[in-house]
Amino acid sequence: MGSLAVACGSPSGNGGGGGPKGKVGATNPFGVAEGSKVEAAIFDGGYGVDYVEYANKVIGKQVKGVAVQVKPVVDIAPELQPRFVGGNPPDLIDNSGEDQIGFLGILDQLETLDDVLEAKNYEGTKIADTLYAGVKKPGTYNGKFVALNYVMTVYGVWYSKTLFEANGWTPPKTWDEALDLGQQAKKKGKYLFVHGKEAATYYRTLLIDSAIKEGGDEVRIALEKLEKDSWSHPAIQGVLKIMETMVKEKMFVPGGSGTQFQKAQAIWSNDQKALLYPSGGWIENEMKDATKTDFQMTGVPSMTLTGKPKIPYEALRAAAGEPFIVPKQGKNPAGGKEVLRAMLSKEAAANFSRTKLAPTIVKGTVPADGYGSSALVSQSKMLEAAGQNIFNYLFVEAYGMNTDQLVPWNSFLAGDIDAKGLTSALQKISDKIREDDSIEKFEVS
């Protein structure tokens, strides 16, 4: 489980343990004291920390004088674990990055956050009713909801709306349609897909997403449980067969397995030699300096195998990230929760999307023009169309499988092994982890 295995130990001191209390009311559901300070330790990564500082602009509208003191932190665990042990952690932590603190190790030292979602936001609406489906799941450990993941990551297939409109092409909804599009691309001297060596497993994500929609949740459960023959499910094999045909018919830009992934992505986003690219919603920001002018990057859901999948075509793999936690022993845990309530206001959520070009877990905060970002607009549309049909899976990251899986995926996309060989290699990786009793297994539901 990687970082989940890190333990912090029990606090050796009493710490703050709650701090000053305010009067609980409609605009102060957690009883934070007026004029109190909230210490927030925020992971200083791709999103920076200014979006949490923005809470200072709105929080005073609800509770007078509350001030959020934001401290940027890069190495979360090395810097903050000692404070958990000492019983004096910050009031709010963005427990993110490579050095995040293992949640299981501090589980009993964290406030549960159900009451945050039950509270009303700054606009007077119950917060739970304003969020996308499934946002509690990634922050729930052993039945306790302790981490509020703030940013939504949407996975899909990306293309240039400008290029497609110029050629009269339509984004494919099924794999057969994708195969037809690949033939049309070849007539124009282009390819359907491109891949880079470090990101070959983006096609694993596309495969799994398509197979889950086609075969239903049983596909996800079997993979996550590392079951025998889980990679041989008919839905997975059906998609792999078409992928194999695409490789054989040279619909992938050649040489991808020896190309750095951002250079490969530029072949799509800047050179436009490939039509489609599977990725998460971060792709626009990642390639902003290597994208053709007026590309109009747009995302659509992963293709289904047939026209009658068990889960609708509009279904998405989407997951909330950037987990915020409120330690019990902080001096002002009520203040920590109030900062989260401020961040979940429409004003603060809209500010995040405007400045970071990424959606939060708050629905309806991205305008129709997406602040000039076609990719952000399409993410909002995909989430809206998916409704309750949003899914996620954790087994690859939880067991650290990606590095091992990159080897057969690069071989497959290069045409060196076929679908049968790829299936065998992926199954061996899953079997090895399943049969290793020294590896803690997570609960699958």
Side-chain angles (χ1 to χ4, degrees):
M1 295 287 284
S3 61
L4 296 183
V6 179
C8 288
S10 299
S12 58
N14 292 326
K21 298 291 191 295
K23 185 178 180 180
V24 174
T27 60
N28 191 5
F30 313 119
V32 60
E34 292 186 0
S36 63
K37 302 290 187 290
V38 184
E39 182 189 1
I42 307 302
F43 174 63
D44 192 8
Y47 297 124
V49 302
D50 57 294
Y51 69 99
V52 182
E53 293 172 339
Y54 189 87
N56 282 307
K57 296 186 178 182
V58 297
I59 202 168
K61 299 175 183 178
Q62 299 285 305
V63 187
K64 293 181 180 179
V66 175
V68 188
Q69 300 173 331
V70 175
K71 179 182 180 181
V73 181
V74 175
D75 302 316
I76 295 290
E79 187 163 339
L80 299 182
Q81 274 182 304
R83 295 189 59 179
F84 274 93
V85 174
N88 64 335
D91 305 310
L92 180 68
I93 300 171
D94 175 17
N95 188 29
S96 190
E98 293 183 1
D99 289 313
Q100 70 176 179
I101 302 171
F103 288 97
L104 294 181
I106 56 173
L107 188 59
D108 292 338
Q109 299 178 56
L110 300 179
E111 292 274 346
T112 54
L113 302 178
D114 303 87
D115 55 344
V116 174
L117 302 195
E118 291 300 312
K120 289 186 177 181
N121 65 7
Y122 284 15
E123 294 76 30
T125 303
K126 181 179 174 181
I127 290 174
D129 295 337
T130 69
L131 309 181
Y132 288 111
V135 298
K136 287 181 70 172
K137 189 171 183 179
T140 300
Y141 299 90
N142 292 345
K144 294 182 178 181
F145 173 50
V146 296
L148 181 83
N149 288 267
Y150 187 63
V151 186
M152 285 296 287
T153 298
V154 177
Y155 296 85
V157 179
W158 302 85
Y159 70 100
S160 166
K161 184 178 180 181
T162 307
L163 178 66
F164 270 55
E165 288 181 346
N167 288 276
W169 294 328
T170 301
K173 290 187 175 182
T174 68
W175 277 93
D176 282 337
E177 290 177 5
L179 193 58
D180 290 340
L181 180 62
Q183 298 291 358
Q184 295 177 51
K186 289 171 70 173
K187 294 177 182 177
K188 295 283 187 175
K190 297 181 182 294
Y191 298 87
L192 182 64
F193 287 122
V194 63
H195 81 283
K197 58 183 178 180
E198 302 93 343
T201 45
Y202 283 13
Y203 288 89
R204 174 208 60 219
T205 300
L206 178 58
L207 165 67
I208 294 175
D209 293 357
S210 292
I212 287 175
K213 292 201 290 188
E214 186 65 36
D217 207 37
E218 66 183 57
V219 177
R220 176 191 65 82
I221 292 173
L223 289 171
E224 295 230 90
K225 287 186 174 181
L226 310 173
E227 291 181 359
K228 295 180 179 179
D229 299 325
S230 56
W231 290 97
S232 297
H233 191 284
I236 292 177
Q237 290 301 305
V239 175
L240 270 184
K241 183 178 180 181
I242 297 181
M243 275 191 179
E244 182 181 65
T245 298
M246 291 173 171
V247 172
K248 289 180 178 179
E249 296 193 9
K250 302 187 184 305
M251 293 184 182
F252 281 78
V253 175
S257 297
T259 305
Q260 193 270 345
F261 81 102
Q262 287 180 326
K263 291 182 178 179
Q265 289 171 180
I267 292 173
W268 162 72
S269 64
N270 193 64
D271 304 343
Q272 294 190 313
K273 290 183 179 179
L275 271 56
L276 303 174
Y277 192 69
S279 181
W282 63 79
I283 187 67
E284 179 187 38
N285 188 60
E286 185 173 68
M287 300 306 295
K288 61 184 178 183
D289 295 327
T291 299
K292 186 179 177 65
T293 302
D294 195 32
F295 189 83
Q296 292 192 50
M297 192 179 294
T298 306
V300 292
S302 58
M303 294 81 74
T304 57
L305 186 58
T306 68
K308 295 183 179 180
K310 288 188 176 180
I311 303 176
Y313 160 76
E314 292 78 11
L316 290 174
R317 182 192 182 191
E322 295 301 317
F324 283 79
I325 57 177
V326 177
K328 292 179 181 178
Q329 294 292 318
K331 292 182 179 179
N332 193 0
K337 290 185 176 183
E338 187 61 35
V339 175
L340 291 179
R341 192 166 79 100
M343 290 170 59
L344 293 168
S345 67
K346 286 189 176 295
E347 182 179 346
N351 170 73
F352 181 92
S353 294
R354 181 176 62 252
T355 57
K356 311 302 178 186
L357 296 181
T360 69
I361 59 174
V362 182
K363 296 185 292 187
T365 55
V366 176
D369 67 353
Y371 305 111
S373 166
S374 58
L376 182 55
V377 169
S378 62
Q379 289 179 71
S380 297
K381 288 182 177 180
M382 284 192 285
L383 286 167
E384 182 179 350
Q388 297 295 313
N389 292 309
I390 292 175
F391 60 87
N392 190 33
Y393 43 88
L394 304 172
F395 75 109
V396 173
E397 292 81 3
Y399 297 120
M401 304 169 80
N402 192 67
T403 300
D404 288 340
Q405 290 184 351
L406 274 170
V407 177
W409 271 102
N410 271 298
S411 295
F412 174 71
L413 296 177
D416 296 333
I417 62 173
D418 58 11
K420 183 178 180 181
L422 176 61
T423 301
S424 176
L426 295 174
Q427 190 63 55
K428 285 180 180 178
I429 294 170
S430 291
D431 290 346
K432 183 178 179 180
I433 295 172
R434 184 188 66 249
E435 294 167 4
D436 188 342
D437 293 336
S438 69
I439 298 176
E440 181 184 359
K441 309 303 190 294
F442 68 92
E443 183 178 336
V444 178
S445 60

